[in-house]
Amino acid sequence: QRLVLAGPGAEREYVCSTGRKRGDKRVRGDLKTPEGVYFITGKRTSGLDFQDYGGVAYPLDYPNPVDRLRGKTGSGIWLHSRGRPIAPYESHGCVVVNLDDMSSLGHRLQNGMPVLLAERLRHGNEAAALEAAGRVEGRTRGWYEAWRGEGGTESFYAASPQGKALAARMRREREKLLRGRKPIKAEAGPVRVLEGPGYWVSWFSERVLLDGGALSGIRRLYWQEDGGGALRIVGTRWIAKDGEPAP
């Protein structure tokens, strides 16, 4: 029942409340808070009851691609406050903070900000964690180099039927985006990595220059280890820059 705002020189801790039922969310209406890596998708201020939501809410992207693979259902997982003092374990699955805390926290919450939800965080071998993150970063850069080249990315995806379908979908999206044209220039920003329960998510900014225009946004890749320990993509998300079409 703690929310920690982490960052260089900016770590703050707040009291929070999560779902009435303990454990990882599985199905709609189970009153549990999901565990995993999620991202803020916007800010909502209209149509909210003040006593229940404090007048502002930050929706999270539950269920993410790994949640969907695992058959999880439900929606409407938000970070918000209340118009009254909160109590432990009282939400329907959201993460709730006190109104005064949201007043000081809210200006730091931005669209696309990662939110890690967990019953507990594992503290262990930092070197091993950095090595794992480095592996994910390396695979992410390898995928991007293949994508912006000739599109030969199939070996990066899981060998499951879902992985093969994802590879085919990404190939179609690339063909639709390019329409027979080659990218004039494709650039990727720094790769960021977070570990979730049984998966990793990597993300980076992307800008592709084409004849007659450009496409820019954020690319997210969701990775799991296969039976041989190799990292494979099991899900993707593309968040286009405002005003531009998604591939």
Side-chain angles (χ1 to χ4, degrees), residues 44-57 78 80-84 96 99:
R44 181 170 174 176
T45 57
S46 62
L48 298 177
D49 181 84
F50 180 77
Q51 287 301 312
D52 287 338
Y53 296 100
V56 61
W78 298 351
H80 63 86
S81 61
R82 292 205 192 285
R84 53 179 171 76
V96 186
L99 192 62

Side-chain angles (χ1 to χ4, degrees), residues 82-99:
R82 292 205 192 285
R84 53 179 171 76
I86 64 172
Y89 301 106
E90 68 165 355
S91 84
H92 290 179
C94 292
V95 178
V96 186
V97 298
N98 281 308
L99 192 62

Side-chain angles (χ1 to χ4, degrees), residues 196-218:
Y199 66 91
W200 291 264
V201 55
S202 62
W203 69 100
F204 55 92
S205 61
E206 180 181 355
R207 180 171 175 80
V208 181
L209 299 179
L210 299 166
D211 291 333
L215 182 74
S216 57
I218 301 295

